[in-house]
Every structure is written in structure tokens, then in C-alpha cells.
């Protein structure tokens, strides 16, 4: 009983790290793409209203694109898991002996003696054959079972939260200062998030911060350059 409790705590912990990582990645995406969009449009000498509209459209478009991508990817993962389970169910019904031998040899490879492995496989299959095979043969646990809607909402939400920063900076900055303020604030937040994410994953915080800030700066520099060139051509 105690063991079961400890095990479920462990699963929750890794799950939380996964969610944190996904949230930070979504926020990074939101900051980089929206700040780049804003800097690019502002560099073309567009009026602030135009810059704000571009930024807001970028926020909505990006959040929806994240949601759609996540929904499709998690759904197709769920389809694969369902198909695997269905095949396993059919195999269990058709060839229980073979399935028992298969499970026993899995436990044997993990370090049990042959006789114990066969006994463990027998008992687990008597208890719930499909779960035993799903977990130990396919590597599927309940925590793996995919939730497409939840994943879609979470990545759209974290993208929008990230995008809100450059958008807010655009709203507050004096017209002539939009580019440096949005770029500066965005790089600062990117570095902070990159450092925190690296630290949470046990990696070097400074290296994580530098890496994220570098790509953010590159994205903004490129879109600013494109905005400048097209701005001059259009005016
Ligand atoms: Zn099996």
C-alpha cells in the first residue's frame, strides 16, 4: 500500500515537469512570434494602431495554430494507443498462452527468474490481462492516455500569455520607442523563462537563458530587417 502511494507521487511529479515544460515552450513561442511581428510592422513605420492590430491578430492566429497542432498531434497519438490496445485485446482473446509467455519473458528480461516471471505474469493476467499487457508490453499507463482538448487549451493559453507581453509593451510604449522597448522587454522575459526552464530541468540556467535569447534576437532582427525593406519599398 505504501509502495503504491510513493509510485503515484512519482508519476505526478514527472507529469508536472512535462506540463511546466510545455507551458514554457508555448509562452516562448508567443513572445518570439508576436514580438517579431510587432517589431517587423513597427520597423515599416506603420502607425501604432496598425502595429497593435498586427500584434493582436498574431496572438489569436498563433494561439489557434498551437491549439490545432496540439489537438491533431495528441488525437493521432490517442488513435495509435487505441489501435494498439484493440490489437492487444484480440491477441489476448485468440492466443492467451502465447500472450502469457510473452509477458513472462518481459519480466524475465527485467530480472525475474523464469519461474517467478511466469507466476507474476499469471497473477497479473488473472487480475487484469489487458492492463498488464498495456503497461508492461506497450508501455501505456493511464497517465499517458492522451487528452487532446486539454492539450489544445493549454498550449493556446500559454502562447497567448507569452504574446500578451510584447502586445502590452506596444500599447504602453511611446510611439518612437516601440521597437526598442518591445525587443528589450521580450528578450529579458525570454532569457528569464529560458533560465528558469533550464534550472527546473537540472541544466545550466545561464546557457538556457542565452540560447533562448539568441534565437529570439535573431527572429526579431530578421523581421525588423524585412519590415524595414518592405516599408521603404511601400512608402
Ligand atoms: Zn501482449
Amino acid at each position: 500500500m505504501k509502495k503504491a502511494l510513493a509510485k503515484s507521487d512519482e508519476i505526478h511529479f514527472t507529469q508536472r515537469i512535462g506540463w511546466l515544460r510545455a507551458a514554457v515552450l508555448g509562452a516562448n513561442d508567443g513572445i518570439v512570434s508576436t514580438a517579431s511581428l510587432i517589431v517587423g510592422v513597427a520597423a515599416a513605420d506603420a502607425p501604432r494602431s496598425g502595429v497593435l492590430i498586427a500584434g493582436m491578430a498574431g496572438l489569436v492566429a498563433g494561439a489557434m495554430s498551437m491549439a490545432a497542432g496540439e489537438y491533431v498531434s495528441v488525437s493521432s497519438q490517442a488513435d495509435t494507443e487505441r489501435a494498439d490496445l484493440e490489437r492487444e485485446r484480440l491477441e489476448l482473446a485468440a492466443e492467451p498462452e502465447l500472450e502469457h509467455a510473452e509477458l513472462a519473458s518481459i519480466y524475465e528480461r527485467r530480472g525475474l527468474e523464469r519461474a517467478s516471471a511466469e507466476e507474476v505474469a499469471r497473477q497479473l493476467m488473472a487480475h487484469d490481462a489487458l492492463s498488464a499487457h498495456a503497461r508492461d508490453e506497450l508501455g501505456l499507463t493511464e497517465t499517458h492516455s492522451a487528452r487532446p482538448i486539454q492539450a489544445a487549451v493549454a498550449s493556446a493559453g500559454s502562447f497567448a500569455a507569452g504574446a500578451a507581453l510584447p502586445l502590452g509593451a506596444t500599447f504602453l510604449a511611446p510611439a518612437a520607442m516601440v521597437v526598442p522597448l518591445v525587443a528589450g522587454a521580450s528578450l529579458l522575459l525570454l532569457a528569464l523563462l529560458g533560465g528558469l526552464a533550464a534550472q527546473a530541468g537540472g541544466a545550466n540556467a545561464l546557457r538556457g537563458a542565452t540560447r533562448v535569447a539568441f534565437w529570439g534576437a535573431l527572429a526579431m532582427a530578421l523581421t525588423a530587417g524585412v519590415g524595414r525593406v518592405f516599408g521603404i519599398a511601400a512608402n
Side-chain angles (χ1 to χ4, degrees):
M1 190 62 200
K2 233 177 201 151
K3 237 182 185 146
L5 228 70
K7 172 95 181 161
S8 80
D9 281 352
E10 222 170 282
I11 288 166
H12 285 168
F13 183 67
T14 40
Q15 212 177 16
R16 200 155 44 221
I17 292 294
W19 278 99
L20 180 72
R21 202 180 116 78
V24 168
L25 283 179
N28 274 353
D29 271 2
I31 297 167
V32 172
S33 68
T34 310
S36 299
L37 194 57
I38 286 169
V39 165
V41 176
D45 285 330
R48 187 208 297 264
S49 60
V51 177
L52 278 172
I53 290 167
M56 261 181 298
L59 184 154
V60 175
M64 284 314 295
S65 140
M66 295 281 285
E70 197 67 15
Y71 184 87
V72 168
S73 125
V74 174
S75 297
S76 66
Q77 190 197 332
D79 288 347
T80 309
E81 287 180 7
R82 242 194 312 277
D84 275 348
L85 276 178
E86 189 49 39
R87 196 173 46 226
E88 199 61 39
R89 199 195 319 275
L90 293 176
E91 283 173 6
L92 278 167
E95 292 173 300
E97 296 294 312
L98 205 71
E99 288 297 313
H100 172 261
E102 187 182 46
L103 199 59
S105 71
I106 288 170
Y107 296 139
E108 208 181 355
R109 271 203 301 281
R110 288 187 192 166
L112 289 185
E113 283 168 16
R114 181 74 214 169
S116 313
E118 279 181 358
E119 180 57 17
V120 168
R122 193 192 61 74
Q123 286 190 24
L124 285 177
M125 283 178 72
H127 174 66
D128 184 347
L130 187 60
S131 307
H133 281 259
R135 187 180 57 238
D136 295 327
E137 186 192 342
L138 305 174
L140 301 178
T141 62
E142 278 167 68
T143 53
H144 273 104
S145 61
R147 298 184 194 88
I149 293 281
Q150 202 175 339
V153 169
S155 48
S158 56
F159 182 97
L165 172 102
L167 203 56
T170 308
F171 191 73
L172 297 173
M177 296 292 285
V178 165
V179 171
L181 276 180
V182 167
S186 299
L187 286 178
L188 210 67
L189 193 70
L190 280 174
L192 194 73
L193 281 176
L196 284 177
Q199 205 163 34
N204 184 292
L206 187 65
R207 193 176 306 152
T210 314
R211 193 155 42 202
V212 179
F214 168 78
W215 284 101
L218 187 65
M220 281 182 254
L222 277 176
T223 43
V226 169
R228 193 87 207 124
V229 168
F230 281 86
I232 291 166
N235 287 328

